Amino acid sequence: MKQIAIFASGTGTNAQAIIEHFRENKNTCVSLIVTNNAQSGVLKIAAENNIKTAIVSKEGISDSERMKNLLKEIDFIVLAGFLLLIPEYLVKSFPKKIINIHPALLPKYGGKGMYGIKVHEAVKENNEIETGITIHYVNEYFDEGEIIEQHKVTLSSADSALNIQIKVQQLEHEFYPKCVVRMVK
Ligand code: GAR
């Protein structure tokens, strides 16, 4: 059985979609949720699904011995709204085995601080006619790893940042779990 760890810092809607997608899967399961945020919704989702959790601080994620021990049974790591940078030792320990989703069409609207609603506010500010999602491999820089796939959605001038977020989340929940299935193989 292949084991996935999901790293998330927020509400956890993507984590939820992925957990549901793998629930009946006979070859792969989500066996660990890692968060840096003790208040995050993703902890409740983990509890509801009987999935083991770990809370790691910024310093904690740099502790290679602790993290390697935590992840010793894990085959694949999925970032789903995780705010901390993945350190180089972790990227090297999981070559092409860590992926992230970004709520925009990278390289646009990426980088440090570009997270969640801030991304959609910037898209709105620039009167973009389309936005979308990017799923990419993770390297040691924010949002810079090789792109795996992108999906677009059309925007109208009437769309608020919140509407944009809703449209983008629909794409995320539709495409991210399917992509994880393909990548984990
Ligand atoms: C998602 O929209 C994800 O793309 C984004 O955070 C949100 C987490 O939502 N990630 C980034 O902005 C990474 N830079 P969720 O907690 O409901 O899954």
Side-chain angles (χ1 to χ4, degrees), residues 14 101-104 119-120 123 131-134 151 153 155 162-174:
N14 280 284
I101 191 160
H102 187 76
V119 175
H120 308 302
V123 166
T131 187
I133 60 168
T134 304
H151 301 277
V153 64
L155 301 178
L162 215 55
N163 290 140
I164 297 173
Q165 182 174 48
I166 291 165
K167 286 183 169 181
V168 168
Q169 271 184 340
Q170 281 168 355
L171 290 180
E172 293 186 326
H173 300 162
E174 179 181 355

Side-chain angles (χ1 to χ4, degrees), residues 83 102-103 106 108-120 122-123 142-143:
L83 278 178
H102 187 76
L106 290 173
K108 282 179 152 185
Y109 306 107
K112 191 168 166 38
M114 278 306 222
Y115 176 79
I117 193 74
K118 283 189 193 163
V119 175
H120 308 302
V123 166
F142 278 113
D143 304 326

Side-chain angles (χ1 to χ4, degrees), residues 109 121-130 155 157:
Y109 306 107
E121 283 165 356
V123 166
K124 173 75 189 161
E125 185 80 10
N126 287 334
N127 300 310
E128 295 283 359
I129 56 169
E130 64 178 17
L155 301 178
S157 55

Side-chain angles (χ1 to χ4, degrees), residues 2-184:
K2 289 224 167 127
Q3 300 198 41
I4 296 175
I6 300 179
F7 286 32
S9 303
T11 318
T13 64
N14 280 284
Q16 173 94 55
I18 293 164
I19 291 165
E20 278 168 18
H21 204 82
F22 280 94
R23 195 167 280 143
E24 305 297 327
N25 193 301
K26 292 194 171 46
N27 308 312
T28 310
C29 65
V30 177
S31 61
L32 177 67
I33 301 282
V34 175
T35 186
N36 63 315
N37 177 6
Q39 314 303 325
S40 61
V42 77
L43 287 175
K44 187 166 172 269
I45 293 168
E48 285 164 0
N49 289 280
N50 290 316
I51 298 171
K52 184 180 151 190
T53 58
I55 300 176
V56 294
S57 62
K58 200 172 170 184
E59 295 71 38
I61 203 168
S62 303
D63 182 341
S64 63
E65 284 316 303
R66 182 193 163 200
M67 289 301 289
K68 280 181 185 169
N69 189 41
L70 179 68
L71 299 169
K72 62 178 187 289
E73 311 270 307
I74 297 296
D75 300 289
F76 198 82
I77 298 175
V78 177
L79 308 189
F82 188 62
L83 278 178
L84 299 180
L85 191 65
I86 300 300
E88 195 178 347
Y89 80 82
L90 208 48
V91 175
K92 292 210 164 113
S93 310
F94 287 86
K96 293 223 161 173
K97 299 265 181 235
I98 312 179
I99 64 171
N100 180 45
I101 191 160
H102 187 76
L105 298 169
L106 290 173
K108 282 179 152 185
Y109 306 107
K112 191 168 166 38
M114 278 306 222
Y115 176 79
I117 193 74
K118 283 189 193 163
V119 175
H120 308 302
E121 283 165 356
V123 166
K124 173 75 189 161
E125 185 80 10
N126 287 334
N127 300 310
E128 295 283 359
I129 56 169
E130 64 178 17
T131 187
I133 60 168
T134 304
I135 301 172
H136 64 92
Y137 290 111
V138 169
N139 66 14
E140 55 273 44
Y141 306 102
F142 278 113
D143 304 326
E144 286 188 18
E146 183 192 337
I147 292 175
I148 299 164
E149 62 185 63
Q150 294 185 304
H151 301 277
K152 293 180 181 174
V153 64
T154 305
L155 301 178
S156 91
S157 55
D159 282 322
S160 64
L162 215 55
N163 290 140
I164 297 173
Q165 182 174 48
I166 291 165
K167 286 183 169 181
V168 168
Q169 271 184 340
Q170 281 168 355
L171 290 180
E172 293 186 326
H173 300 162
E174 179 181 355
F175 290 106
Y176 204 20
K178 289 181 193 155
C179 182
V180 175
V181 170
R182 271 183 282 113
M183 292 295 126
V184 91

